Amino acid sequence: MKKEIAKNDKYEIYVDQIRNRFYIKLIGFWQDPSEVPDYLEDHKKGLGFLSPGFTLLADNRDMKTPKTEIFEIHGQALQMVNDAGIGKLAVVVDQAIIKIASGRVTREAGIEETTGQFNDIKEAEDWLDGKDV
């Protein structure tokens, strides 16, 4: 069962301790890190419920292309995830520009090898669960 960590007009974070999974949904256009002052703290809070080897599902379908300053905060969040011992990351995207941006951030965080990009949530969940997709 998913536990809500944070929910606002910019992002939603949930964890499922039974599945050992972190869920994040990014929403809209973020102009400045000051719009999301608790973003990194919410990541830290969510990661505290999970064990190393956890999986992460990032729903980026409602995200708009971020400004450079925002890439930095996403990179910091992914570094936290990497340091906490992520197993696999599934990114759900439906826009080419977001796919490119997501690829850049995961590459810079050093988790590109364990990241998959998908067009829908079900396919991403199946991949994280180890099913053939």
Side-chain angles (χ1 to χ4, degrees), residues 57-61 90-94 99 116-128 133:
L57 193 150
D59 182 353
N60 293 354
R61 294 174 298 171
V91 181
V92 181
V93 293
D94 60 4
K99 187 177 260 188
Q117 290 193 347
F118 303 91
N119 295 321
D120 70 69
I121 296 287
K122 171 90 171 84
E123 188 178 10
E125 288 265 17
D126 286 348
W127 181 75
L128 291 174
V133 292

Side-chain angles (χ1 to χ4, degrees), residues 96-117:
I97 191 72
I98 300 298
K99 187 177 260 188
I100 292 166
S102 296
R104 173 184 162 194
V105 174
T106 57
R107 186 172 49 258
E108 290 176 2
I111 59 173
E112 185 178 34
E113 298 293 319
T114 57
T115 300
Q117 290 193 347

Side-chain angles (χ1 to χ4, degrees), residues 1-5 13-24 46-58 81 86-90 121-131:
M1 187 167 93
K2 290 183 188 177
K3 173 182 179 63
E4 182 180 300
I5 302 300
I13 295 176
Y14 302 89
V15 294
D16 184 331
Q17 289 180 278
I18 293 170
R19 294 179 105 175
N20 201 30
R21 185 159 300 155
F22 189 105
Y23 292 88
I24 186 164
L47 291 169
F49 290 98
L50 303 173
S51 304
F54 67 92
T55 57
L56 192 155
L57 193 150
V81 164
I86 189 171
K88 293 196 310 189
L89 164 64
I121 296 287
K122 171 90 171 84
E123 188 178 10
E125 288 265 17
D126 286 348
W127 181 75
L128 291 174
D129 290 338
K131 298 177 184 172

Side-chain angles (χ1 to χ4, degrees), residues 35-51:
E35 293 180 320
V36 289
D38 299 323
Y39 184 65
L40 294 175
E41 189 58 37
D42 288 338
H43 267 75
K44 183 178 177 181
K45 190 184 308 179
L47 291 169
F49 290 98
L50 303 173
S51 304

